[in-house]
Amino acid sequence: MTTSPLIHRAPLVVMLAAGAALFAVVSLWPDRDPCPTLVEVTAEDLVLEQLRDPSLSSADDALRAIVRRELLINEAVARGLHLTDPTVRRRLIRLMDWLVWSHVTADEPDDDTLRAWYATHGAALRPEARYTFRHILLSRQTRGPLPELDPARAASDASATLVDGRTASQLTDIWGAPFVAALADLEPGTWSGPLRSAVGTHLVQLIVLERPEVPPFEEARDLALDRWYDEANRAARATAWRDAARRYTITVDGQRYTPPTGGTP
């Protein structure tokens, strides 16, 4: 990459030119707190700036862009925009969430600790129930009174659609939670209904409801470890939040506020 002779002869001239252009603008702004007045630029900065922005055709352009950016940032901070601008504050929050809290992690548990956790929480790792059933869509109505009819007789006069081995969450996404709850209470092999779902009104024949057992610890160890980390990391981060909050005096309407013992302040 070639650089302009101006950079080698008088780089300060370029910086002063950019600063003078900004001074005319910032001098019109209201009073602000003092801000840093030294802007240091290296040859590496110029190279990186041109890599970031290919539209900067020369080192002169890169230098002007750097000086302009640094002056504007300093002036913005001096005016407290990082404290009052919602967009800037949201960005700072996201950065700190990533920088600090994402690095707060729990140590790996030993086998005894994980087994003890699984003994208490293992039921939550049971695979989802799976439903196989036939249904007849009577109508697309999802509201109003249900029709009065004999499910078995009505089913004999229509063709049924088979739904095979779907999990409760899969069914809930399409049919709705109330339908899945009603489906779990049906007697297998018998036509029932009408039942209302998010799709419409149905006659339903439950064929089989598979309710898996809680898997042995050895089979579920990896999943148990993932869940243990989830809980332990949430607890560790909550502790980190509380420790950070202790460094501040927080008041609400003039009254001292103490963050709760659980969760974030």
Side-chain angles (χ1 to χ4, degrees), residues 76-108:
V77 171
R79 284 161 176 78
L81 296 185
H82 61 303
L83 301 176
T84 59
D85 185 274
T87 302
V88 175
R89 288 172 64 84
R90 283 194 295 268
R91 178 63 176 163
L92 290 174
I93 291 169
R94 286 196 294 269
L95 284 173
M96 286 305 300
D97 270 334
W98 176 84
L99 182 63
V100 180
W101 311 123
S102 64
H103 290 74
V104 178
T105 57
D107 295 330
E108 182 174 357

Side-chain angles (χ1 to χ4, degrees), residues 19-62:
L22 282 173
F23 180 78
V25 177
V26 300
S27 62
L28 301 177
W29 292 346
D31 293 339
R32 82 275 193 288
D33 294 332
C35 67
T37 55
L38 175 64
V39 177
E40 296 181 289
V41 184
T42 66
E44 183 181 3
D45 293 333
L46 298 178
V47 174
L48 292 175
E49 188 71 15
Q50 287 186 278
L51 290 175
R52 282 193 292 263
D53 186 352
S55 69
L56 301 174
S57 59
S58 69
D60 290 353
D61 293 337

Side-chain angles (χ1 to χ4, degrees), residues 67-224:
V67 171
R68 180 180 186 277
R69 182 176 64 244
E70 294 304 314
L71 291 181
L72 287 174
I73 289 173
N74 287 344
E75 292 293 332
V77 171
R79 284 161 176 78
L81 296 185
H82 61 303
L83 301 176
T84 59
D85 185 274
T87 302
V88 175
R89 288 172 64 84
R90 283 194 295 268
R91 178 63 176 163
L92 290 174
I93 291 169
R94 286 196 294 269
L95 284 173
M96 286 305 300
D97 270 334
W98 176 84
L99 182 63
V100 180
W101 311 123
S102 64
H103 290 74
V104 178
T105 57
D107 295 330
E108 182 174 357
D110 58 32
D111 197 66
D112 290 341
T113 299
L114 190 59
R115 284 180 179 275
W117 181 91
Y118 190 74
T120 304
H121 301 85
L125 305 185
R126 183 200 308 267
E128 281 194 90
R130 290 185 173 272
Y131 298 80
T132 298
F133 61 93
R134 295 186 182 91
H135 79 99
I136 298 170
L137 180 63
L138 298 176
S139 75
R140 292 287 182 179
Q141 292 182 351
T142 58
R143 296 182 179 179
L146 291 170
E148 296 183 5
L149 48 80
D150 182 338
R153 180 176 298 177
S156 65
D157 298 330
S159 59
T161 300
L162 177 67
V163 178
D164 188 15
R166 299 296 179 88
T167 65
S169 59
Q170 289 173 331
L171 294 174
T172 299
D173 288 342
I174 299 174
W175 303 67
F179 176 84
V180 177
L183 192 62
D185 293 333
L186 298 184
E187 181 180 349
T190 302
W191 281 98
S192 304
L195 297 182
R196 183 65 51 74
S197 79
V199 176
T201 303
H202 314 257
L203 295 177
V204 180
Q205 182 189 48
L206 179 64
I207 298 174
V208 62
L209 170 55
E210 301 174 48
R211 299 182 186 272
E213 297 295 327
V214 177
F217 173 77
E218 289 72 19
E219 293 180 13
R221 191 183 193 286
D222 289 344
L223 181 57

